Amino acid sequence: MSAVEAAMIDTDAGLIGDHYASRAGARQVTLIQAESLRSIASHLGRSNVAAFDLRRNIVTEGINLMALKDRQFRIGEAVLQTTGECHPCSRMEDVLGVGGYNAVRGFGGITARVVRGGSIRIGDAIEALAVEG
């Protein structure tokens, strides 16, 4: 995994260049809050935890991702649809050490599918789209 300044998101492939690209369905893209990474680190007595450790694609800051439940949202040119929470897996104990699984519970972020592809960049705002109905 590597950090990039910009990326392309596609409706068929998800995040272009991702190891899991071309995975259709509800988990094309994963997002986590920078604030959650700090909380997880705090619970583990560590100075930091990287998004890489949790295998999340996009790190956000200043937005409660859980407020996007059942919503579409825009990042840059792309539109995504929240599909659920991104729960920890048993690998968290191996990656983060004892207590890793429980430290991530409730802080794992969200999963999303791509509704409209496009370019995203570091610093792009996340905009919740109006609920139709």
Side-chain angles (χ1 to χ4, degrees):
M1 295 186 72
S2 60
V4 296
E5 294 287 322
M8 289 296 295
I9 295 180
D10 181 78
T11 55
D12 294 323
L15 191 65
I16 304 296
D18 181 47
H19 175 74
Y20 294 106
S22 299
R23 179 194 293 190
R27 196 180 167 105
Q28 287 181 307
V29 179
T30 56
L31 300 92
I32 191 166
Q33 298 170 199
E35 297 88 347
S36 293
L37 292 171
R38 290 190 289 272
S39 292
I40 294 166
S42 177
H43 290 302
L44 294 170
R46 296 172 65 170
S47 60
N48 69 340
V49 169
F52 305 135
D53 294 332
L54 303 176
R55 306 200 58 80
R56 301 303 185 259
N57 301 127
I58 299 173
V59 178
T60 67
E61 190 162 23
I63 184 169
N64 177 358
L65 292 175
M66 298 313 292
L68 298 174
K69 182 178 180 177
D70 301 324
R71 301 282 303 266
Q72 288 187 2
F73 58 96
R74 181 185 337 273
I75 304 176
E77 299 171 346
V79 174
L80 293 92
Q81 168 76 47
T82 303
T83 55
E85 293 181 47
C86 198
H87 300 289
C89 68
S90 59
R91 284 184 10 97
M92 293 301 97
E93 294 290 312
D94 295 334
V95 173
L96 300 173
V98 175
Y101 177 88
N102 283 324
V104 177
R105 287 178 59 189
F107 294 101
I110 62 171
T111 59
R113 69 176 175 82
V114 181
V115 175
R116 185 176 70 224
S119 173
I120 63 169
R121 303 185 59 75
I122 289 178
D124 282 345
I126 296 176
E127 174 190 359
L129 301 178
V131 177
E132 295 179 17

